[in-house]
Amino acid sequence: MRFLVVEDELDIRRPLVASLREAGFAVDEAESATEAHELAVNFPFDALMVDVGLPEGPLAGFSLVRQLRSEGHIVPVMFLTARDAVEDRITGLDAGGDDYMIKPFHLGEVQARLRALVRRGRAEIQSTRIWHDLEFDWTSRAVSRSGQRVALTAKEYSLLEVLASHPGRVFTREELIDRVWDGRFDAESNVVDTYVRNLRRKLGDDVVQTMRGVGYSFPAGE
Ligand code: CA
């Protein structure tokens, strides 16, 4: 999953971004509404975390999300704010926000609520996915094959999650780098191939299919 954190206060942004990356998420950062808009319309984020007060104004976060919604972007949004007035929460929801965290927040709670937000955003995907004897649970991030629990690193899990969310769809290396590694590698990098090799070693060769010259996919069908 790839998130965008929009927050102008470095003391809040830095630990939030670090904790999300440590949990295996891909994360981009923006310091202003303008920068955030540019990123949000150009990259495939699974959710945005948006501070309400940004350099453009005390309510610029609300305006940013209103603008994105008016342009047709349906990405889930969590507002971050020091404000706890009821009117502000209502304004945030009216602006198109899906959830609200009041500072100071617990980093573990942010992660749990982000996962819930993304899950709600793709309600059509079941919480457990089973393919042959491979089973995984989006909620607990647990994977097992033939009844044996398999330990994956956070990035291995993220890669499998992207592929398995769209069975049969071929992702290019560049698309996978965008979604799993927040674009911090270039498309020539072999990071994707390395992680695909790890997934195959741990879960079996058949869990990731290679489309030569194009990319990788999770097998379609039962
Ligand atoms: Ca702020």
Side-chain angles (χ1 to χ4, degrees):
M1 290 186 210
R2 181 172 181 178
F3 300 131
L4 174 62
V5 173
V6 188
E7 167 66 79
D8 55 333
E9 281 170 68
L10 197 55
D11 288 351
I12 294 173
R13 192 176 73 236
R14 194 173 273 165
L16 178 57
V17 169
S19 83
L20 291 170
R21 285 194 176 138
E22 200 174 313
F25 299 114
V27 189
D28 291 65
E29 309 171 51
E31 300 181 2
S32 68
T34 313
E35 194 186 347
H37 185 266
E38 175 75 21
L39 287 167
V41 301
N42 282 304
F43 295 98
F45 294 107
D46 292 287
L48 313 183
M49 268 158 286
V50 180
D51 182 26
V52 175
L54 291 168
E56 289 89 346
L59 299 175
F62 291 151
S63 313
L64 166 68
V65 174
R66 252 188 228 108
Q67 187 186 352
L68 286 169
R69 294 293 185 243
S70 74
E71 293 163 352
H73 298 282
I74 55 168
V75 59
V77 171
M78 176 190 283
F79 282 112
L80 306 174
T81 183
R83 298 158 168 269
D84 58 357
V86 172
E87 311 86 78
D88 280 343
R89 294 189 208 200
I90 293 167
T91 309
L93 297 174
D94 281 351
D98 303 282
D99 200 359
Y100 212 93
M101 290 290 292
I102 293 162
K103 301 176 205 173
F105 39 71
H106 185 264
L107 293 171
E109 189 186 352
V110 173
Q111 287 181 25
R113 283 170 64 169
L114 269 177
R115 287 200 187 103
L117 197 61
V118 173
R119 270 202 307 282
R120 284 204 300 277
R122 34 160 129 131
E124 76 280 10
I125 296 171
Q126 295 182 339
S127 66
T128 304
R129 175 161 183 86
I130 299 172
W131 175 81
H132 292 199
D133 56 351
L134 175 73
E135 184 173 343
F136 56 102
D137 184 327
W138 308 109
T139 314
S140 63
R141 312 188 106 205
V143 180
S144 49
R145 181 112 213 212
S146 309
Q148 292 285 100
R149 174 81 178 258
V150 178
L152 298 182
T153 66
K155 282 296 183 204
E156 288 165 359
Y157 182 87
S158 294
L159 177 60
L160 181 64
E161 185 180 47
V162 169
L163 292 169
S165 298
H166 307 274
R169 170 168 169 197
V170 180
F171 286 90
T172 64
R173 285 177 181 75
E174 197 169 8
E175 285 175 316
L176 292 169
I177 286 171
D178 266 358
R179 283 172 167 75
V180 180
W181 285 272
D182 47 51
R184 280 180 291 166
F185 290 93
D186 65 41
E188 306 303 313
S189 152
N190 62 5
V191 64
V192 174
D193 310 81
T194 305
Y195 276 79
V196 164
R197 217 160 32 239
N198 292 349
L199 284 177
R200 285 177 172 154
R201 180 169 49 77
K202 291 182 175 182
L203 292 168
D205 284 345
D206 54 345
V207 300
V208 183
Q209 297 176 325
T210 302
M211 182 73 78
R212 269 188 211 296
V214 186
Y216 294 108
S217 65
F218 186 83
E222 291 308 301

